[in-house]
Amino acid sequence: MKPKLLIVDDDEEIRTQMKWALTKEYDIVLAGDRATALEQCRSEMPAVVLLDLGLPPNPSTPEEGLATLSDVLALDNQAKVVIVTGQAEKKIALRAVGAGAYDILGKPVDMDELKMLLKRAFHVALLEREYRDMRLQVEGETFEGMLGMNPRIQAVFESIRKVATTSASVLILGESGTGKEMAARAIHQKSARKNGPFVAINCSAIPESLMESELFGHEKGAFTGAHMQRKGRIESASGGTLFLDEIGEVSLPIQVKLLRFLQEQRIERVGGRQEITVDARVIAATNSDLQKGMREDKFREDLYYRLAVVQVLLPPLRERGEDIHFLAQSFLQRISAEIGKTGLTFSPDAIRAIRQYSWPGNIREMQNRVRRAVIMCDGKRVAPHDLELDQSPAAQPGLTLKVARESLEREMLTRALKTHSGKITAAANELGISRPTFYELMDKLGIQKPEQVRE
Ligand SMILES: Nc1ncnc2c1ncn2[C@@H]1O[C@H](COP(=O)(O)OP(=O)(O)OP(=O)(O)O)[C@@H](O)[C@H]1O
Ligand SMILES: [Mg+2]
């Protein structure tokens, strides 16, 4: 497959000439104005763009070309844009480079020079892409399989590192799908017990009547149906780690017994007469509010303090900033490799949708959506509908009205600003609000003032 090159020039003759001269090496797409150029970037994702600065409606000035440059880079900040400028003015060239252009080429274009330059630009683009992929893979393995570069998750990794060297009990808190079990496994893996067993038990999945025997085991004949002696989960975790998931669901009588185990490291099987010493490190997790449980006398305070010697709080995905995009990319790469559909990328619209979505099901939901998208998408580009992220915010579960409203406001303001090249009055007019209101909203939503506000 030939690498893709976008040529943007308002002169049809030049476009045709260029295409003819370069078609052997490159897969060429063409555009004569800014809107078409952006459309091509969106759909074709060229690694390199050759851009003439003099574009309609004012081909004699570089403004439209410079605006195209910044729009292209906003879509794909890795794109290598080579500026072709007739106005061999140093000032304009410098402005373009300052705005992120990769290189400058003076008119009339020397074909050999152009070919050399393109070769280098594609080479750099390819290296960058490989580097990015490699970094994703390497970083994916940095913390026991847990991905994350956001400072809050890095702080979690740091606590895990510290607590792993001790035998203290740990309480992991976080919404569903934020990685509580993964964090528990990471603690185990980083600890001196890593060669011992990791025994996970989901306290909400076991009926109350079976819970005691499940945890503590039973002797033969302890109750009807107890045909033989059986070790409980706690005993099985000896020498390793016991992970009590959904600890908030444990009944009060079992809480008393767990507390005793935590205090004395000893248990008694159901129907047993002798105490057994067990050396297991306990990690508990919950997404329910234990403080509330304690206030309502559903959760014992003494047990809470025994379990929560150290607390680890996993942040929800929507509060992890750039991680949202980073995790989506990593999952896309991993899952597509796993399924054997390589070379998939998210469309810019898909990336936008991923960033705007509130991810109530956190990382688990993201994995599921990406997996589904990889299976469903046609071609190489994953679109919002493949991720089922093309519905209105109103259809998103768990979204508050405030978040939905702000997300819509942000989207509309950003788009209006873009349509009107950053002219606030025109953008405000389009949305039917006053200039001061527009400024207020920008402020509230943290929208940056575009660089060239021309009013
Ligand atoms: N930091 C991370 N990097 C990569 N994958 C992650 C990360 N955290 C969680 N996952 C993945 O997300 C999924 C959910 O994680 P996990 O089961 O640990 O969450 P949980 O908080 O225990 O969820 P629940 O409350 O639903 O039990 C798993 O498939 C896990 O591999
Ligand atoms: Mg879990």
Side-chain angles (χ1 to χ4, degrees), residues 176-177 179-182 202 243 245-246 285 364:
S176 106
K180 295 186 293 297
E181 176 155 357
M182 225 179 165
N202 184 343
F243 177 52
D245 204 357
E246 313 284 356
R364 187 193 308 287

Side-chain angles (χ1 to χ4, degrees), residues 184-196:
R185 286 182 191 275
I187 295 173
H188 176 73
Q189 280 306 322
K190 291 253 175 248
S191 76
R193 299 168 173 268
K194 68 165 186 254
N195 294 320

Side-chain angles (χ1 to χ4, degrees), residues 145-148 153 157 174-183 243 245-246 287 314 320 327 331 334 363-364 367:
M146 292 183 87
L147 298 163
I153 197 78
F157 296 165
E175 289 178 13
S176 106
T178 47
K180 295 186 293 297
E181 176 155 357
M182 225 179 165
F243 177 52
D245 204 357
E246 313 284 356
N287 59 11
L314 287 167
R320 284 175 57 176
L327 283 168
F331 290 144
R334 277 193 202 169
I363 300 180
R364 187 193 308 287
Q367 276 179 334

